[in-house]
Amino acid sequence: MIILMFGPPGAGKGTQAKLIEDSRGFVQLSTGDMLRAAVAEGTALGKKAKTIMDAGKLVDDETMIGIIDERMEEPDCAKGVILDGFPRTVAQAEGLDELLARKGKKIDHVIELTVDDQELFNRIETRVAQTPESERRADDNAETLKKRLDVYHEQTAPLLPYYEKKGVLRKVDGMQDIDTVTASINSILG
């Protein structure tokens, strides 16, 4: 099974992906983690990505799709994968569709966690208040969240109609408690 998780930063994608991973034996594939692993392993694509990143540029879609392709071939991905952080553009979505078609696979579910922007700011404030200063994430502040939300709304959210047309987009109210969101996602996955 191939699942894509969408939603603004702070919506709970990582939390839900981890719960799916633990309960179903799927693997969460984070593009950042995959890039770092490919570079550390020194694969051909990892070396190419390192050169690009060392130049301060974004890794191109072709290289990123190649890294995803390599990672999905690993035995631990056999049951299913949850893609988190990819695709971010329609071009990447089309590239992913082509990759999956070559493998005889398809995206089974695109799950969008919908959360009101103001609620995301409230969550950040609560997390900062409840977390000791030494354990706080550097990006846990309103200014960084605003920038990340702007990027999400401008670049990633336009992908949602692409998947809606394909009939695989499912919306889940991410403003509910964690257990209720998990139950909603589990009913989607069957």
Side-chain angles (χ1 to χ4, degrees):
M1 183 175 289
I2 298 172
I3 303 164
L4 303 184
M5 295 290 288
F6 279 93
K13 298 180 302 293
T15 298
Q16 292 301 324
K18 180 71 176 143
L19 291 167
I20 295 167
E21 193 175 44
D22 292 346
S23 67
R24 295 176 180 256
F26 295 176
V27 177
Q28 178 184 9
L29 300 181
S30 159
T31 52
D33 292 346
M34 285 186 288
L35 275 172
R36 286 185 286 279
V39 168
E41 291 167 14
T43 67
L45 285 170
K47 290 176 184 173
K48 182 178 178 184
K50 182 176 180 357
T51 301
I52 294 166
M53 292 185 301
D54 285 351
K57 298 179 181 174
L58 293 175
V59 175
D60 60 278
D61 294 350
E62 183 180 332
T63 302
M64 197 64 239
I65 290 169
I67 289 171
I68 291 169
D69 185 13
E70 284 182 351
R71 181 63 181 95
M72 287 179 73
E73 290 300 317
E74 297 293 321
D76 64 337
C77 292
K79 275 189 166 180
V81 298
I82 308 155
L83 280 171
D84 179 13
F86 192 89
R88 292 189 186 267
T89 65
V90 172
Q92 289 177 351
E94 291 168 344
L96 180 60
D97 286 346
E98 290 170 15
L99 163 68
L100 295 174
R102 286 194 305 272
K103 295 176 165 296
K105 297 180 179 183
K106 64 176 178 51
I107 295 168
D108 296 286
H109 301 286
V110 176
I111 298 172
E112 177 194 10
L113 297 180
T114 60
V115 180
D116 176 74
D117 285 2
Q118 185 55 52
E119 176 60 21
L120 296 172
F121 285 102
N122 295 344
R123 287 180 182 184
I124 289 287
E125 288 174 10
T126 300
R127 186 162 56 198
V128 168
Q130 294 176 347
T131 305
E133 193 168 335
S134 62
E135 297 174 25
R136 288 184 194 152
R137 292 171 27 179
D139 63 350
D140 271 354
N141 61 67
E143 183 180 324
T144 301
L145 176 60
K146 173 150 182 14
K147 289 176 186 173
R148 293 176 67 206
L149 279 172
D150 289 346
V151 169
Y152 175 77
H153 290 303
E154 290 170 18
Q155 297 176 12
T156 306
L159 276 171
L160 299 172
Y162 176 84
Y163 288 113
E164 194 165 30
K165 285 180 190 171
K166 292 180 167 290
V168 293
L169 179 64
R170 304 289 179 267
K171 295 178 186 258
V172 172
D173 181 357
M175 293 181 61
Q176 303 173 94
D177 64 82
I178 291 173
D179 291 339
T180 303
V181 172
T182 302
S184 297
I185 290 172
N186 281 328
S187 71
I188 290 167
L189 301 181

